[in-house]
């Protein structure tokens, strides 16, 4: 896993659509009063707050200290902790683990599924949405090709964007029985007008630039904008082809 040093303020200011779309995933979670629910990869905590507002005891976990610090400052009454999805633990098994727009950052999905399964009560639910197979494919392929042509190096795309067929057996190996899974397209308008695609690349694709010089990065972004413009820039805004994987799984009650 490549660590990200998130800028939590920019995340909230320029990419609010991420947690706004997450409200649809909360409808699948249906948090109930009295439940204890982990929000895994809680970011700046807005969805953790929505879980708490439903009357549940919400616990927000995130690997980024910046995110946790901002979440705790915004919602001091809610419990937040820094934790790694690959090995997080809870004091007492919980009713549900919820995760929005985070799991594609962690390629060690077996460890994540094992931790989720251990954290759940028998019958507890795992409800998640994240980037699925083919997510943002045109943008990432164009950027990757530009970087290869400009730097001469092959740049790895190591996000965990999987299909239903890959992810369901993995969950089931860890005692999480898949009850619902959907892979769907969500073309998404980016904030920031002309700057929208550049802002998105700067925020989410940092790991692709680790081995390249700043001038190569700059040229690659400009080339990507030029090549995608006719298809993905409309009426003063950039759009990106998000593809999401949504899953609901229940922790099996029998061993
Ligand atoms: C996403 O949130 O879907 C995403 C993150 C990083 C790169 C591409 C897509």
């Amino acid at each position: 896993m490549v660590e990200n040093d998130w800028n939590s303020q920019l995340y909230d200011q320029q990419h609010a659509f991420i947690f706004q779309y997450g409200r649809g995933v909360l409808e699948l979670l249906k948090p109930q009063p009295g439940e204890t629910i982990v929000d895994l990869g809680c970011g700046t905590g807005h969805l953790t707050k929505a879980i708490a507002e439903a009357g549940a005891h919400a616990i927000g976990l995130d690997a980024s200290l910046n995110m946790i610090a901002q979440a705790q400052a915004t919602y001091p009454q809610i419990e937040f902790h820094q934790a790694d999805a690959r090995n997080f633990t809870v004091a007492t098994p919980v009713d549900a683990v919820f995760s929005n727009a985070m799991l594609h950052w962690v390629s060690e999905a077996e460890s994540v599924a094992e931790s989720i399964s251990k954290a759940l009560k028998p019958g507890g639910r795992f409800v998640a949405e994240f980037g699925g197979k083919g997510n943002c494919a045109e943008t990432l392929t164009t950027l990757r090709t530009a970087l290869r042509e400009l730097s001469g190096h092959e740049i790895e795309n190591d996000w965990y964007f999987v299909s239903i067929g890959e992810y369901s057996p993995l969950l089931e190996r860890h005692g999480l029985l898949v009850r619902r899974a959907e892979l769907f397209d969500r073309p998404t308008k980016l904030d920031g007008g002309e700057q929208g695609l550049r802002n998105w690349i700067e925020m989410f694709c940092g790991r692709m630039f680790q081995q390249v010089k700043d001038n190569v990065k700059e040229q690659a972004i400009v080339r990507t904008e030029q090549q995608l413009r006719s298809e993905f820039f409309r009426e003063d805004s950039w759009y990106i082809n998000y593809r999401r994987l949504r899953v609901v799984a229940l922790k099996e009650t029998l061993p």
Side-chain angles (χ1 to χ4, degrees):
M1 180 168 108
V2 180
E3 309 297 338
N4 281 295
D5 188 11
W6 290 101
N7 182 328
S8 53
Q9 284 176 353
L10 277 186
Y11 181 84
D12 260 11
Q13 285 161 11
Q14 297 179 346
H15 310 283
F17 65 85
I18 293 180
F19 52 81
Q20 286 159 358
Y21 275 120
R23 294 193 184 272
V25 199
L26 281 180
E27 286 166 23
L28 281 181
L29 174 69
K30 299 187 187 68
Q32 301 297 313
E35 287 188 323
T36 299
I37 299 180
V38 166
D39 180 3
L40 186 60
C42 63
T44 45
H46 303 304
L47 297 176
T48 327
K49 168 73 169 15
I51 293 169
E53 276 173 349
H57 172 211
I59 304 171
L61 304 180
D62 203 284
S64 159
L65 261 186
N66 284 345
M67 290 292 195
I68 288 295
Q70 183 162 331
Q72 196 69 81
T74 313
Y75 304 116
Q77 71 284 17
I78 295 180
E79 186 180 339
F80 291 101
H81 304 283
Q82 187 190 25
D84 186 324
R86 296 167 297 183
N87 55 26
F88 77 97
T89 56
V90 288
T92 312
V94 298
D95 297 286
V97 173
F98 168 83
S99 184
N100 178 56
M102 186 284 281
L103 293 168
H104 50 258
W105 292 100
V106 192
S107 51
E108 296 95 331
E110 296 277 354
S111 309
V112 176
E114 186 180 345
S115 303
I116 292 168
S117 185
K118 281 187 185 152
L120 284 171
K121 290 178 182 170
R125 51 208 200 279
F126 168 50
V127 179
E129 181 180 302
F130 58 105
K133 191 162 189 133
N135 190 40
C136 305
E138 300 87 347
T139 308
L140 296 177
T141 303
T142 306
L143 182 59
R144 192 160 172 238
T145 304
L147 284 168
R148 188 182 54 233
E149 289 171 358
L150 290 161
S151 72
H153 299 299
E154 194 61 57
I155 306 290
E156 287 303 313
N157 259 359
D158 58 353
W159 287 284
Y160 184 70
F161 295 143
V162 279
S163 67
I164 294 173
E166 289 164 294
Y167 199 54
S168 299
L170 183 150
L171 291 181
E172 292 180 1
R173 278 198 290 283
H174 294 280
L176 297 166
L177 186 61
V178 175
R179 301 294 288 267
R180 177 172 178 167
E182 189 184 358
L183 182 69
F184 62 97
D185 291 319
R186 181 194 285 150
T188 299
K189 183 177 177 176
L190 299 177
D191 291 338
E194 228 4 283
Q195 298 298 309
L197 182 62
R198 165 178 291 271
N199 290 346
W200 184 89
I201 291 172
E202 299 262 9
M203 173 62 81
F204 296 110
C205 299
R207 58 169 68 176
M208 293 173 82
F209 302 123
Q210 281 168 348
Q211 317 277 348
V212 300
K213 299 204 171 83
D214 281 352
N215 66 324
V216 169
K217 170 180 167 180
E218 176 57 27
Q219 288 175 61
I221 294 176
V222 169
R223 195 179 282 191
T224 302
E225 288 175 326
Q226 286 166 348
Q227 292 185 358
L228 293 178
R229 193 172 190 91
S230 62
E231 197 176 348
F232 294 101
F233 189 80
R234 305 190 280 282
E235 292 163 11
D236 298 331
S237 291
W238 283 97
Y239 288 75
I240 195 157
N241 280 347
Y242 272 89
R243 181 174 294 159
R244 300 329 249 177
L245 179 58
R246 267 189 188 179
V247 64
V248 177
L250 299 186
K251 166 94 173 263
E252 295 198 75
T253 47
L254 295 174

